[in-house]
Amino acid sequence: MSDSPHPSAPDARLHALIEAAVRADGHPPFSDGSLAELATGARRLVWLGPAAALVSEREAEFVVHPDARRLGHGTAMLNELLTAAPGELLLWAHGAHPAARRLAATHGLEPVRELLRLRAEVPAERGEVAEAAARVEAGLAAGVVGEVLELNASAFAGHPEQGSLTHDQFDALAAEPWFDPADVLLLRSATEPATLLGFCWLKVDGTTGEFYVVAVDPSHQGEGVGRSLMAAGFARLAERGIREAILYVEADNTAALRLYREFGFHEDSIDIQYRWASEPDD
């Protein structure tokens, strides 16, 4: 799962802050996952002046309103979060701005993960797209959501956010105005009973399409399932008149990066996750 654009904020003040940050920074300050967790009660919203944070037991993301930056509000919020942390805290810096890097360095935060945002043009025509798209079932019916979530959990078993997607969190995302069940593409086996091999979940909002989730059954990796889903995803975006695509991928996922670059994706920006741990008592 990834970032831009964000799910609807639960109150007007937070929504206005997110919109201002997107305009100033070019990307959302909070991940979709953290906003979905806020909607389901798994995270809480913390305000400190013009700064807001979404906080769970071990993770946090925060942003300062663009009009109030470089005035110490980011330092104050980070200090507040670290003081309240139970002993360890993971924090995302979306876009990895120099100010965020400096703040992390001054507070002894250790970078532990990098998430790349990739961008590509959506070709109006592509030779292999039509063949791949013909193998894919377009549209997520209500009765197969559980099947999709089960495959998602298996495909991302080692992923700390995506692999733990719950039905409630999925419902929160599906309630967003950008969600279209026709943008969830399913690839099933040709044998009976037809089993789900993978899915490609697209997210279209405005003029950009996002490969929101591309999941392949681990037992069918290396069989071209991911390539077929990517091709079908491009076909669907082209059908909708979308000419630019983005996706998010872990920087160390070499197999996925190789596939995505075959489809013309290149690095656009980077998110960094930092880890903070309190000093143990003597």
Side-chain angles (χ1 to χ4, degrees):
M1 192 178 300
S2 61
D3 287 324
S4 177
H6 53 80
S8 300
D11 62 59
R13 184 184 179 193
L14 180 60
H15 182 78
L17 173 58
I18 292 173
E19 292 297 325
V22 169
R23 287 194 299 272
D25 303 328
H27 56 80
F30 301 117
S31 67
D32 279 2
S34 64
L35 283 163
E37 289 180 352
L38 179 65
T40 61
R43 290 202 185 213
R44 69 184 190 278
L45 173 61
V46 176
W47 285 99
L48 188 63
L54 302 185
V55 186
S56 66
E57 184 177 349
R58 291 187 60 247
E59 297 186 10
E61 300 176 24
F62 73 92
V63 64
V64 178
H65 195 286
D67 294 342
R69 293 176 180 174
R70 295 178 294 278
L71 298 174
H73 297 294
T75 298
M77 175 60 88
L78 182 56
N79 288 338
E80 179 79 10
L81 295 173
L82 299 184
T83 299
E88 180 182 270
L89 192 66
L90 298 172
L91 302 104
W92 278 107
H94 298 295
H97 292 295
R101 293 178 184 265
R102 289 193 297 270
L103 191 59
T106 59
H107 285 74
L109 306 184
E110 172 193 7
V112 292
R113 284 174 64 193
E114 293 183 350
L115 188 68
L116 304 179
R117 182 169 75 169
L118 308 183
R119 188 176 298 273
E121 292 184 6
V122 178
E125 296 181 3
R126 192 173 188 136
E128 70 272 24
V129 160
E131 179 181 354
R135 300 176 54 205
V136 173
E137 172 187 337
L140 181 64
V144 300
V145 171
E147 189 179 6
V148 167
L149 291 176
E150 183 178 353
L151 188 146
N152 180 81
S154 177
F156 296 102
H159 195 283
E161 293 96 16
Q162 184 62 30
S164 60
L165 181 67
T166 67
H167 209 304
D168 285 346
Q169 291 166 2
F170 175 86
D171 288 344
L173 293 168
E176 291 300 316
W178 54 259
F179 179 79
D180 185 342
D183 288 335
V184 183
L185 312 177
L186 310 178
L187 181 59
R188 296 187 179 276
S189 64
T191 58
E192 292 294 338
T195 59
L196 185 63
L197 304 181
F199 68 90
C200 175
W201 182 357
L202 300 170
K203 176 180 180 180
V204 178
D205 195 340
T207 60
T208 299
E210 180 177 345
F211 284 82
Y212 196 53
V213 184
V214 180
V216 177
D217 185 326
S219 64
H220 291 277
Q221 289 180 348
E223 299 178 7
V225 174
R227 183 170 283 100
S228 293
L229 289 168
M230 291 294 297
F234 271 111
R236 171 64 177 167
L237 293 177
E239 176 186 300
R240 296 196 58 178
I242 302 300
R243 292 293 173 259
E244 187 175 55
I246 62 170
L247 59 79
Y248 291 80
V249 60
E250 299 284 342
D252 60 358
N253 191 341
T254 55
L257 283 167
R258 184 165 54 249
L259 173 63
Y260 298 150
R261 284 173 176 148
E262 288 180 15
F263 282 88
F265 281 96
H266 59 273
E267 186 173 331
D268 181 59
S269 67
I270 184 172
D271 295 344
I272 300 177
Q273 187 183 62
Y274 293 94
R275 175 183 176 271
W276 175 84
S278 63
E279 294 291 338
D281 294 332
D282 295 331

